[in-house]
Amino acid sequence: MRLKSAFAVLSVAALVAATGTAAQEDKRPTGETYEQILARLGDGMRENLIIRGEHDSRTEARKHKRFYTDLQPLADLPPYRPAKQLEGRIRVSGLYLHDGLIKDQWIEAFQRFHPQVKVEIVPKGTIASGAVDIETGPRISDRLRAASQYELATGERLFEIDWATGSYNVPGWSPGFVIFVHEDNPIAHLSLDQLDGIFGGSRTGGWKGTTWDPGVARGSDRNIRTWGQLGLKGEWADKPIAIYGRPLKYNIQLGFERKVFKGGDVWSETTREYSHEANADGSRYSSSVEMVRDLSGDRYGISFSDMGSNRPGVRAVPIGWTAKGPFVPISMQSLRDRSYPLFIEQWAQVRLAPGKTLDPLVKEFLTFMLSRDGQDAVQRDGKWITLPARRAAEMRTKLEAAGERVDPHALGLHLKQIAPAKWDGESPDEAKRTDPAKAYYRSQFDLSGLPAYQPGQAFAGTIRMPASGQLMEGTAGQALMAAFRRIHPAARFELKDGDLINHKVDLSIGRKWSTYFAGEFYDFQLKHDRSPREFQVATGSLDVTGWSPALAVYVGSNNPLKGLTIRQLDGIFGGPRRGGWVSTTWRRQAGRTAAENIRFWRELGVKGSCANQPISVIVPPLKYHIMSVFERKALVGGNIWNDSAHEMPLVLNRDGSRRSPESDRVSAVARRRCAITFADSGVAVPGTRMVPIARDGTGPFVLPTLTSVQDRTYPLHLEAYAYADAEPGRQIEPGVREFLRFVLSREGQAIIAGDGKWLPLTAAVATAERAKLDIVVPQVTAK
């Protein structure tokens, strides 16, 4: 189900309060925390209804329109000739494939050759779930979390081909990237390496699929930050390049990273992000249109967008694959022959078991897609562009390949570090140091202030929950269920891994659902037109790896730094930003300016040998899940990082055993006396120390201890969450609600404490979370 395009009218005053409005550019930064913005402006459900509703309306208006009517000769493509008649059923997914004109043409043409085959083209469905045989749409390998989860579940590499080129200027149909500059800018052309230098930052490697490739590293010496570095003279020579872009977690950014950064994910911290937003009048603020409009008023700006956003005052720059050229302007022809480097492909992904060849029917349909018959339907649809003959031949050859097995020793492909399951903790136990059955903490916490459990109506029925994850690996899960059954003897629990989004379970307990890039929270909203119900059920551990240990900040032991505030952490690790992701919505209230950057130790009052040295920032690769956690905790949901940050991926020992990535980063700090990193609070490396952290400038500075993490005076604690569903206007299902009341009671939190890994909630947090159980959320509506 899509978010609807027509909704009940919402008053303008209410909408302004709900959205913060896109027009409030000058009100940032507010200095609010992530939690304060979330509490004031909400989780983004209403904004997403507006944005997605208008998107769907525009797509609806385009889907049956032929934008390009000049039919090209396709004689260099082979006609489709089946080797033999097949029978069966094949299911293909793809929203734009389903909504366009191509769907009926493909079905009719293929079934003419294979009358015993039923072809179904559906708007949604993944190969990972087994719902479809061929999945089309955004390239899965660009979306590292989705690719990692797929490979973790199957043990096989993704098999993918591209079968068309995106459009020239049709929004939604993958228009090619265009590099725009102001019309007065004298730059003649740019190469891909120059684009890398302009838009990217230094990097220690990049992603080749789900594998970290250190071979694409580059240093800051290749950064291009002024127009003079590109050879411009006179007034242009010393002018900084102002970058106009989009939030770095949009799919479009990921494609740009692959094409221009060779899979790197560090962007110039001067990138000015433009997001789709909700205006006060209920209309959508379109990122690409507004971005190029603003660029037209900035002589020293540059952006990548698409020809559909072209306007007076800007011009498109010809691009070359190399510095030697040729430098090619974007056009229908340069996209057809792919001489223009920044085309966008249309991808098809299928399951292919290691050592096996493609299923005959799947192979036959892919062959048809790559044939003259299949491509003729592409051009008659009038939006996408046909595949060049040479590329089609390469893809047909690829169809003969056997499936590849995931290499567990591939550098960087350690999947839970990138994409932990929803019912796991925020930071996985990569080095396998934790015994799930062991109670690491035996402290007696004072739980007398927590509400005692008073049973409501007796519950008889079944509650479905995931069978794996930290709750079930330790002792807490079984103990909570057993205690609940003693009070409600007719209650039953069914344990089987599944997804709340698809209603395979009733309750999911584990890490916080990532709210935009990972997509769990947003996907739920997209599917159900409502938000999932979220509850904190425990505090993360102090230092038990895998059980959401508190984040700690490490410097060299000789560094005299007395402490850091959260905003100072933002200034060190983050970059200036136009906004950030607070839940599923881009909020400009999360923005900040370059004035808050902290790049030298002297800016923190540090004296001595490091005072005038740059702060050497060491972090995990930016695509690792833990980075989205740090973004929420310290960067107010922003995803612009210090563009000189040094990424250190998880690596293996020589014997193939796993190293501790946290220890590796802290050890690097010990070697570099003016460095800083964050890691689990349980890391102990000689020559380093943890830095006390304060919520704000009023203090106090606090070190992570069992007490300060449990009572949450230490700001970088983590949490464990429960997710449930409820229809608008209705409470959560009685059994789930009653079980969560027990978990959030004094008795339930005593069981959490007795497990000895996660820590019990404070009385204030438990009371607030229990109160949320009684809230009935109305239907969210928008104009």
Side-chain angles (χ1 to χ4, degrees):
M1 180 188 301
R2 294 193 209 165
L3 295 178
K4 310 300 189 295
S5 58
F7 299 91
V9 175
L10 181 75
S11 74
V12 171
L15 186 59
V16 170
T19 64
T21 80
Q24 293 180 339
E25 175 97 19
D26 296 331
K27 289 197 172 183
R28 59 169 174 73
T30 64
E32 292 178 291
T33 66
Y34 180 101
E35 288 76 14
Q36 288 169 334
I37 297 172
L38 178 63
R40 184 163 67 86
L41 298 178
D43 66 9
M45 184 70 242
R46 181 175 284 109
E47 289 83 354
N48 290 331
L49 289 173
I50 293 169
I51 294 166
R52 177 57 60 174
E54 189 164 339
H55 170 273
D56 288 349
S57 295
R58 296 180 185 186
T59 300
E60 185 74 19
R62 298 183 186 117
K63 67 182 185 180
H64 289 151
K65 180 179 177 180
R66 288 188 63 190
F67 287 81
Y68 315 132
T69 57
D70 56 327
L71 299 180
Q72 299 293 304
L74 301 176
D76 53 355
L77 287 167
Y80 177 65
R81 294 290 183 265
K84 64 178 181 178
Q85 291 284 304
L86 297 173
E87 59 183 39
R89 184 183 77 160
I90 186 163
R91 290 172 60 85
V92 183
S93 68
L95 180 59
Y96 291 94
L97 193 66
H98 175 272
D99 283 356
L101 299 167
I102 195 172
K103 168 189 167 184
D104 293 338
Q105 297 178 69
W106 270 4
I107 293 174
E108 180 183 351
F110 190 77
Q111 291 184 164
R112 189 167 61 246
F113 289 103
H114 300 280
Q116 300 304 311
V117 172
K118 181 175 177 57
V119 179
E120 297 179 25
I121 296 180
V122 296
K124 292 185 179 180
T126 66
I127 56 170
S129 68
V132 295
D133 306 295
I134 301 174
E135 178 181 352
T136 70
R139 187 173 187 252
I140 294 179
S141 292
D142 286 344
R143 294 173 288 154
L144 190 59
R145 180 180 302 279
S148 296
Q149 289 173 335
Y150 172 86
E151 293 183 354
L152 175 63
T154 65
E156 63 192 37
R157 289 285 187 193
L158 279 164
F159 181 86
E160 56 192 6
I161 64 165
D162 68 286
W163 54 271
T165 301
S167 72
Y168 170 66
N169 62 350
V170 183
W173 271 259
S174 305
F177 297 133
V178 180
I179 305 302
F180 285 120
V181 296
H182 192 273
E183 63 182 356
D184 294 343
N185 193 314
I187 196 77
H189 48 68
L190 292 165
S191 68
L192 291 183
D193 278 348
Q194 287 174 321
L195 292 179
D196 184 359
I198 294 168
F199 289 93
S202 59
R203 56 179 178 265
T204 61
W207 295 102
K208 184 180 294 182
T210 53
T211 301
W212 179 262
D213 179 12
V216 300
R218 76 161 178 83
S220 59
D221 58 306
R222 290 170 58 186
N223 286 352
I224 298 174
R225 297 296 181 258
T226 67
W227 288 107
Q229 291 175 272
L230 292 166
L232 299 193
K233 308 294 184 183
E235 67 158 300
W236 297 86
D238 63 347
K239 294 299 188 295
I241 300 172
I243 298 173
Y244 291 75
R246 272 168 276 204
L248 305 189
K249 306 215 168 158
Y250 275 8
N251 271 322
I252 194 169
Q253 307 292 111
L254 307 181
F256 194 84
E257 288 174 356
R258 172 170 50 85
K259 285 185 172 290
V260 177
F261 301 169
K262 303 177 178 65
D265 51 19
V266 178
W267 287 70
S268 168
E269 63 182 53
T270 64
T271 301
R272 180 178 170 84
E273 304 151 286
Y274 283 73
S275 172
H276 297 319
E277 300 174 66
N279 289 315
D281 64 359
S283 63
R284 185 177 75 161
Y285 177 98
S286 297
S287 60
S288 58
V289 174
E290 304 296 340
M291 175 175 63
V292 178
R293 183 202 66 189
D294 287 358
L295 172 65
S296 69
D298 185 350
R299 282 166 55 81
Y300 308 111
I302 190 171
S303 76
F304 82 88
S305 188
D306 57 79
M307 288 304 290
S309 304
N310 196 12
R311 61 171 290 122
V314 302
R315 67 178 181 86
V317 180
I319 307 298
W321 291 96
T322 70
K324 295 180 180 179
F327 299 97
V328 181
I330 188 171
S331 67
M332 284 291 293
Q333 183 54 42
S334 65
L335 288 172
R336 284 185 178 122
D337 61 23
R338 293 191 173 181
S339 58
Y340 180 73
L342 297 181
F343 60 89
I344 300 180
E345 308 93 332
Q346 295 306 299
W347 294 94
Q349 291 100 185
V350 305
R351 296 283 301 264
L352 185 54
K356 305 294 184 180
T357 55
L358 286 170
D359 173 85
L361 185 50
V362 170
K363 179 182 177 183
E364 200 66 22
F365 196 82
L366 292 174
T367 302
F368 167 78
M369 291 167 62
L370 298 168
S371 72
R372 185 187 307 170
D373 304 69
Q375 293 294 298
D376 184 58
V378 170
Q379 70 170 344
R380 290 178 185 278
D381 181 74
K383 292 178 278 292
W384 289 316
I385 296 171
T386 54
L387 204 62
R390 66 182 182 280
R391 182 62 174 175
E394 291 171 3
M395 295 297 97
R396 289 195 301 273
T397 299
K398 187 175 181 180
L399 299 181
E400 304 298 331
E404 298 180 27
R405 188 178 303 280
V406 171
D407 178 4
H409 299 115
L411 180 62
L413 182 58
H414 296 290
L415 299 145
K416 287 189 176 182
Q417 183 73 15
I418 298 170
K422 301 179 183 74
W423 42 81
D424 283 331
E426 300 280 18
S427 181
D429 181 17
E430 285 297 333
K432 305 299 181 186
R433 295 180 300 182
T434 300
D435 177 359
K438 180 179 177 180
Y440 286 82
Y441 312 129
R442 298 188 180 277
S443 299
Q444 296 298 312
F445 296 96
D446 181 7
L447 304 180
S448 59
L450 274 73
Y453 179 65
Q454 297 295 329
Q457 184 177 357
F459 170 67
T462 299
I463 301 172
R464 300 171 302 158
M465 298 170 59
S468 55
Q470 271 67 42
L471 182 75
M472 297 304 172
E473 289 180 16
T475 62
Q478 293 295 336
L480 285 167
M481 291 186 294
F484 187 75
R485 283 195 299 264
R486 285 195 292 272
I487 303 168
H488 300 275
R492 297 289 181 268
F493 290 90
E494 179 183 311
L495 302 181
K496 184 178 180 181
D497 288 345
D499 199 329
L500 182 69
I501 294 173
N502 297 322
H503 290 151
K504 300 294 185 182
V505 295
D506 305 307
L507 183 66
S508 183
I509 297 179
R511 64 169 171 80
K512 185 177 179 69
W513 281 11
S514 296
T515 47
Y516 193 80
F517 182 46
E520 293 105 350
F521 206 99
Y522 179 74
D523 283 350
F524 192 101
Q525 290 181 336
L526 192 69
K527 186 179 180 73
H528 299 291
D529 289 355
R530 60 180 180 270
S531 296
R533 302 294 301 275
E534 179 185 86
F535 306 91
Q536 295 183 35
V537 294
T539 299
S541 71
L542 166 65
D543 56 1
V544 180
T545 305
W547 267 257
S548 299
L551 300 176
V553 177
Y554 293 84
V555 297
S557 55
N558 293 327
N559 190 316
L561 184 69
K562 293 182 179 179
L564 290 168
T565 67
I566 294 295
R567 292 198 76 164
Q568 286 174 324
L569 287 177
D570 186 353
I572 295 167
F573 287 90
R577 56 184 179 267
R578 197 163 178 254
W581 293 107
V582 179
S583 192
T584 60
T585 297
W586 178 261
R587 302 289 191 190
R588 297 198 195 182
Q589 291 81 359
R592 74 165 177 82
T593 67
E596 289 192 60
N597 280 358
I598 299 173
R599 296 295 180 261
F600 290 87
W601 286 106
R602 64 175 179 268
E603 297 173 65
L604 294 166
V606 170
K607 302 185 184 301
S609 60
C610 283
N612 293 315
Q613 294 298 312
I615 301 175
S616 177
V617 175
I618 300 171
V619 296
L622 303 190
K623 293 291 190 296
Y624 278 11
H625 172 79
I626 195 64
M627 300 302 274
S628 66
V629 179
F630 193 86
E631 287 172 351
R632 171 170 53 89
K633 286 287 182 178
L635 275 55
V636 202
N639 45 223
I640 296 285
W641 287 76
N642 182 329
D643 64 10
S644 64
H646 182 92
E647 295 173 289
M648 288 187 64
L650 172 66
V651 297
L652 300 174
N653 294 307
R654 290 185 178 181
D655 62 1
S657 61
R658 296 185 177 191
R659 299 264 290 272
S660 166
E662 292 84 5
S663 295
D664 285 348
R665 293 198 304 277
V666 179
S667 296
V669 168
R671 296 191 299 271
R672 305 179 186 187
R673 56 191 182 84
C674 299
I676 191 170
T677 194
F678 70 88
D680 294 357
S681 63
V683 179
V685 173
T688 66
R689 67 178 180 87
M690 289 188 289
V691 179
I693 306 297
R695 293 187 187 279
D696 53 44
T698 64
F701 293 107
V702 180
L703 281 169
T705 65
L706 199 62
T707 298
S708 68
V709 172
Q710 192 275 326
D711 67 17
R712 301 194 174 189
T713 53
Y714 180 67
L716 296 181
H717 66 269
L718 301 183
E719 307 87 16
Y721 289 84
Y723 290 90
D725 187 22
E727 294 278 352
R730 299 179 61 181
Q731 287 188 326
I732 297 169
E733 289 297 321
V736 173
R737 181 169 173 268
E738 197 64 27
F739 181 63
L740 285 175
R741 285 187 67 245
F742 178 73
V743 173
L744 293 168
S745 70
R746 184 187 311 161
E747 293 81 358
Q749 291 298 298
I751 292 173
I752 294 289
D755 181 67
K757 291 178 279 294
W758 282 337
L759 300 174
L761 298 172
T762 64
V765 174
T767 300
E769 296 302 303
R770 278 172 63 107
K772 287 162 58 177
L773 289 169
D774 297 323
I775 294 174
V776 174
V777 178
Q779 176 71 57
V780 177
T781 58
K783 183 178 179 181

